[in-house]
């Protein structure tokens, strides 16, 4: 044909049947060009469609692929109940979690199950998706498809129309969708026969990703069993199963069980013939960049990107998202914090907001005008760490924490707003660079995968400035009073620990050493005494490395806090040694009457008393009181504090009359001071009044103790707040006064309410909480609620054995209370075993004449006699052995602490005589 165009079937008609004829008939119309008309034209039939049609390259299965059964179940669950809408599941997760491999596995299973059309489209480039749609349209013979190079988009849309109406089963996979908006790839819209589905993968999880009827299916890293199975299969497949040694699980955990990282690591193990434990040591070397231990040449599964690039692939898009320019510096800050969670509130601190503003300005085209990062101060500058506060039973003596010198205001941009700082967190969350789950633990709201964090640190061009900003932010967020939010303090401690790991030797510089000191004080306030000992021991060891000379303020303060921690942790003898040496150096450096010297001597007095060296403690506190009187006068608050501490020493030593005289003196002095200050109540006066109430109770004046205790509690709640530790202490004392007055029901009710509040405010395992729980066990035992008493006492003993060890006085006290609970419950054998386990420890730790040892001996004797009486008829020989053991443990005198000593010896002797008589009755041959 010349001068005309050959057309296919008219619109809306089916094409000719294969092998048929086309009758070239002209009917009507006018032609304005030469026409050549033939007879019958034979059309070559198109080839048959070769089902199934597969378009695009479905990735091959990775070696040792794990099927991810739990995720597959969620994918299948998301397909139900969609009507004619195309079921669309979006696998969402961070880089390297295995989204693509999982989608490919689903695609292969779909083909095996009878899917007739499968399109696999790399969706980061929408044009690639159009091209593959157009190719599929041609292969399935979609109506109206031209196949011409310039008709890609129309052909792609005809393919989607064909999918909507076809009765054949189909699956479209859009891998790595980066844009869910109008500039993104085309999505199939419907399936009238309900036989089609769409599966996508993406790093995003925002509103756009779940729009259009799409269902998000989160994909995370492997679980522990999957990670171990992967390593085992991968190494066995390489013929090297012996490389899977005892370090395999720890290695998987260090890699965050990220499939991509595990694949690179396994290839490294195979290539280097290296076991898991040896590789783990290599990986943990913080000086090595991530790509040094997960190199690109280990990409045996042809992922196509190094690990660092894969993890941070979404960062460029996040940088372009509002608020622009903040995502990169923000993720680098998050990388320096605890990957298991840090406080969302950290992002509203001025330190973070100023840092983000400087970084955004520096990255802008006019960034040359932005302010430079502040230079770090030299080591030793900026003041010293806080000192440990004394126990609440002592004069409070709390020192205001060292105020951190403010960050110099930047000369460049103003800080970003708090809203912007929080908005960038949402951006990072949307791109799977951090996670901010809705149901997060308090103050652990922001998490980041450990490898994402490491990749961010490796690519941070301003690492020191980022570290400086995080240090200032942590210090800024730290609560002035630890009790205000113990969970916040715990979160800040863990993030500080992570930051210090990344700092290495630089932790000695300002402001990091201040932050380190703040952690140590926080551990003491939290009752984590063993951890505080480890912390301050490390700080003492680091003094010489930090070029801190003996006798410098930081040297004295650090050792002062170590001595306080040792005493609180139940190691008073070591505390005495450290405090004595520190006091000697302080006296030589500053003089015997200088503040640092007197402060360390105060800790020494506490340690001596805890070590049972009461006479030395009293003598030292008498000396301290005389020096305070000479230096400051008799009515100075510091003198009254020394007087109070001496009263405590006398009270603990059994000299209650002398203690009462001293407390009355302090009361008079405080009344003068308060009159001058025009303040009716102060924390000092409340501490004094509570001590006076305790003395009244011990002196047999319960009504006076109760009246004064009620007044102290009301004033403390008003002055300090209901949740202040001193208010909780006042409540505990008031419950003690009720018990001393014989009002056990009131004491039990008060202690039960206090326990709930102590668990909430201080935490369930705080030493003060354990004390309340133990006291409640005593109240329950005395009121007949023995089973509840046993459960509480057993829980307290387990925690104290774990945290304090068997030799701590508090552990020994708890064990004694549990002995009483078992005995009252009728479990004599169990009570006796525990009592006889505790007694040698008491003798070694407390001494033979200590009241705790004496009562321990008494308990063993009572239980021996009780068991012997039950055995007398059936086994007189064992009854005689119990009686003899009771007499032996009692000795000739038990001391004044046990009033019924003679009565108990008489009972044991009587039992022994009866047992011998029963074993050898008169008249027996």
């Amino acid at each position: 044909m010349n001068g005309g165009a050959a057309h296919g079937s008219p619109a809306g008609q089916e094409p000719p049947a294969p092998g048929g004829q086309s009758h070239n008939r002209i009917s009507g119309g006018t032609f304005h060009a030469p026409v050549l008309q033939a007879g019958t034209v034979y059309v070559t039939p198109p080839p048959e469609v070769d089902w199934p049609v597969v378009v695009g390259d479905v990735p091959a299965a990775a070696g040792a692929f794990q099927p991810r059964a739990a995720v597959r179940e969620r994918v299948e669950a998301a397909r139900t109940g969609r009507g004619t809408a195309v079921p669309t599941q979006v696998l969402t997760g961070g880089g390297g979690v295995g989204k693509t491999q999982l989608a490919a596995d689903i695609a292969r299973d779909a083909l095996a199950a009878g899917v007739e059309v499968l399109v696999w489209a790399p969706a980061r480039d929408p044009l690639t998706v159009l091209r593959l749609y157009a190719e599929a349209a041609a292969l399935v013979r979609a109506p109206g498809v031209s196949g011409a190079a310039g008709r890609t988009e129309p052909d792609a849309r005809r393919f989607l129309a064909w999918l909507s109406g076809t009765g054949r089963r189909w699956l479209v996979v859009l891998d790595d969708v980066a844009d869910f908006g109008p500039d993104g790839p085309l999505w199939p819209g419907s399936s009238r026969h309900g036989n089609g589905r769409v599966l996508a993968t993406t790093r995003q999880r925002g509103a756009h990703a779940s729009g259009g009827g799409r269902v998000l299916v989160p994909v995370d890293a492997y679980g522990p069993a999957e990670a171990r199975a992967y390593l085992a299969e991968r190494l066995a497949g390489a013929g090297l199963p012996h490389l899977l040694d005892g370090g395999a699980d720890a290695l998987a955990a260090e890699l965050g069980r990220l499939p991509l990282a595990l694949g690179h690591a396994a290839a490294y193990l195979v290539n280097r013939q290296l076991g898991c434990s040896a590789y783990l040591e290599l990986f943990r070397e913080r000086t090595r960049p991530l790509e040094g231990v997960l190199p690109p040449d280990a990409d045996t599964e042809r992922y196509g990107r190094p690990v660092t690039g894969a993890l941070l692939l979404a960062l460029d898009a996040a940088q372009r998202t509002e608020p622009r320019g903040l995502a990169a510096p923000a993720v680098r800050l998050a990388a320096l914090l605890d990957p298991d969670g840090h406080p969302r509130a950290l992002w509203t601190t001025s330190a973070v907001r100023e840092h983000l503003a400087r970084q955004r300005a520096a990255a802008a085209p006019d960034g040359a005008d932005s302010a430079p990062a502040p230079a770090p101060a030299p080591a030793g500058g900026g003041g010293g760490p806080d000192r440990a506060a004394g126990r609440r039973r002592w004069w409070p003596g709390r020192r205001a924490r060292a105020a951190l010198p403010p960050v110099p205001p930047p000369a460049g941009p103003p800080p970003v707003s708090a809203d912007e700082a929080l908005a960038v967190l949402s951006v990072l969350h949307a791109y799977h660079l951090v996670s901010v789950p809705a149901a997060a633990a308090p103050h652990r709201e922001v998490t980041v995968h450990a490898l994402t964090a490491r990749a961010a640190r490796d690519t941070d061009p301003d690492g020191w400035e980022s570290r400086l900003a995080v240090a200032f932010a942590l210090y800024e967020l730290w609560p002035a009073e630890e009790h205000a939010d113990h969970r916040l303090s715990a979160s800040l401690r863990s993030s500080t620990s992570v930051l210090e790991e990344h700092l290495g030797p630089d932790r000695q510089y300002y402001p990091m050493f201040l932050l380190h000191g703040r952690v140590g004080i926080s551990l003491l306030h939290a009752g984590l005494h063993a951890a505080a000992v480890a912390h301050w021991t490390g700080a003492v060891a680091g003094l010489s490395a930090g070029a801190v000379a003996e006798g410098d303020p930081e040297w004295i303060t650090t050792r002062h806090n170590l001595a306080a921690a040792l005493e609180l942790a139940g190691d008073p003898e070591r505390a005495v040694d450290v405090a004595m040496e520190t006091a000697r150096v302080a006296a030589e450096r500053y003089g015997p009457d200088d503040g640092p010297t007197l402060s360390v001597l105060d800790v020494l007095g506490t340690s001596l008393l805890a070590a049972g060296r009461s006479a030395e403690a009293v003598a030292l506190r008498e000396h301290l009181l005389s020096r305070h009187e000479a230096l400051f006068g008799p009515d100075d608050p510091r003198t009254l504090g020394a007087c109070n501490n001496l009263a405590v020493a006398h009270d603990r030593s059994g000299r209650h009359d002398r203690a009462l005289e001293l407390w009355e003196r302090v009361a008079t002095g405080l009344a003068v001071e308060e009159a001058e200050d025009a303040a009716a109540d102060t924390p000092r006066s409340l501490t004094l009044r509570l001590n006076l109430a305790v003395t009244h109770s011990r002196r047999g004046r319960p009504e006076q103790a109760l009246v004064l205790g009620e007044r102290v509690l009301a004033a403390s709640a008003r002055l300090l707040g209901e949740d202040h530790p001193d208010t909780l202490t006042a409540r505990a004392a008031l419950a003690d006064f009720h018990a001393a007055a014989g009002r056990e029901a009131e004491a039990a009710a008060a202690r039960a309410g206090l326990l709930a509040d102590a668990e909430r405010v201080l935490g369930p395992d705080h030493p003060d909480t354990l004390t309340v729980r133990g006291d409640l066990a005593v109240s329950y035992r005395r009121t007949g609620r023995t089973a509840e008493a046993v459960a509480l006492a057993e829980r307290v003993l387990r925690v104290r054995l774990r945290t304090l060890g068997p030799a701590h006085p508090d552990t020994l006290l708890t064990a004694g209370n549990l002995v009483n609970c078992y005995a009252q419950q009728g479990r004599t054998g169990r009570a006796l075993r525990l009592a006889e386990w505790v007694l040698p420890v008491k003798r070694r730790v407390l001494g033979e004449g200590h009241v705790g040892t004496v009562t321990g001996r008494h308990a063993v004797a009572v239980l021996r006699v009780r068991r012997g009486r039950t055995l007398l008829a059936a086994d007189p020989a064992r009854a005689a052995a119990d009686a003899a053991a009771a007499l032996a443990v009692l000795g000739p005198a038990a001391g004044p602490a046990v009033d019924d000593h003679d009565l108990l010896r008489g009972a044991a002797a009587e039992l022994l005589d009866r047992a011998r008589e029963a074993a050898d009755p008169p008249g027996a041959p």
Side-chain angles (χ1 to χ4, degrees), residues 805-809 811-812 834-847 853:
H808 194 283
T811 306
L812 299 177
L834 181 57
E836 291 188 329
W837 174 80
V838 171
L839 182 56
V841 183
K842 287 184 173 181
R843 282 172 162 157
R844 185 181 75 250
V845 175
L846 304 177
T853 306

Side-chain angles (χ1 to χ4, degrees), residues 65 84-85 177 317 333 416 476 499 514 537 589 686 698 774 836:
F65 172 76
T84 61
V177 179
L333 294 182
V416 303
E476 182 181 339
L499 175 63
L514 287 176
T537 299
R589 179 76 175 267
L686 297 179
R698 290 179 180 174
E836 291 188 329

Side-chain angles (χ1 to χ4, degrees), residues 95-255:
V97 298
K99 303 181 296 295
T100 296
Q101 276 293 322
L102 181 58
D105 188 58
I106 293 173
R108 286 189 292 270
D109 286 352
L111 279 174
V115 159
E116 296 172 277
V117 179
L118 170 64
V119 177
W120 182 281
R124 182 163 286 273
D125 179 14
L127 294 179
T128 300
V129 176
L130 289 176
R131 178 180 60 78
L132 291 170
Y133 283 171
E135 181 180 334
L139 290 175
V140 301
R141 304 290 185 266
V145 171
S146 71
R151 305 286 296 172
T152 299
E153 183 172 353
D155 286 353
R157 293 187 180 278
R158 287 189 171 91
F159 174 65
L160 296 184
W162 181 87
L163 289 179
S164 177
T166 184
R168 297 184 181 275
R169 296 171 60 190
W170 56 268
L171 169 65
V172 173
V173 181
L174 299 175
D175 184 38
D176 199 15
V177 179
D179 188 346
F180 287 86
D183 295 330
L186 285 176
W187 293 72
S190 63
S191 176
R192 287 195 292 272
H193 300 284
N195 55 342
R197 63 183 292 203
V198 178
L199 184 66
T201 70
T202 185
R203 292 169 184 251
Q204 298 187 38
R205 52 182 162 188
H208 286 298
S210 58
R214 295 180 284 265
V215 178
L216 298 185
V217 180
V219 181
D220 208 342
Y222 284 150
E226 290 173 321
R228 183 174 184 83
Y230 173 84
L231 287 174
E233 293 173 25
R234 183 73 177 80
L235 296 176
L240 300 168
H242 62 282
L243 298 182
L244 190 80
D245 56 28
D249 291 337
L251 173 60
E254 191 76 18
L255 294 169

Side-chain angles (χ1 to χ4, degrees), residues 286-490:
R286 297 294 182 188
T287 56
R288 292 179 180 268
L290 191 57
E291 291 191 8
V293 288
L294 297 172
D297 61 10
D299 183 16
T300 56
E301 306 299 340
R302 296 181 297 172
Y303 187 82
R305 304 185 189 98
V307 173
T308 300
L311 293 170
L312 300 180
L313 184 64
L315 189 56
D316 287 343
Q319 269 290 82
R320 295 190 298 270
T321 304
E322 291 293 341
R324 291 175 179 266
L326 298 182
V331 78
R332 289 162 186 158
L333 294 182
L336 296 169
L337 297 161
D338 186 355
D340 292 328
H342 66 263
R344 183 172 179 266
L346 194 80
W347 294 86
T348 63
T349 60
S350 59
V352 165
R353 292 187 294 110
E354 289 169 5
H355 173 80
L356 292 177
R358 288 193 299 271
Q359 292 295 305
R360 179 165 62 182
D366 58 348
D369 298 331
S370 63
D386 304 329
R387 297 183 188 277
R391 290 193 193 183
R392 290 192 294 279
R393 67 172 182 268
W394 302 99
W395 191 265
R398 291 191 176 86
R399 298 166 177 83
R401 63 192 179 99
L404 192 66
V407 182
V416 303
S417 69
D419 287 344
E420 284 183 295
L422 295 176
V424 75
L425 273 187
S426 299
V427 171
L428 295 178
H429 173 81
Y431 283 94
H432 273 284
L433 293 164
V434 304
S435 290
V436 192
H443 309 301
R444 302 273 185 177
E445 299 93 346
V446 186
T447 63
V448 58
H449 194 282
L451 287 189
T452 301
R454 188 161 176 178
R457 292 192 300 272
D458 286 351
T459 56
D460 188 355
D462 298 307
W464 174 253
E465 186 173 352
S466 297
R467 288 161 173 77
L468 196 66
V470 168
F472 275 111
L474 290 169
Y475 204 106
E476 182 181 339
L477 189 59
W478 218 295
E481 291 281 355
E482 291 285 328
H483 75 275
D485 195 332
H486 66 91
R487 290 174 295 189
L488 173 59
S489 296

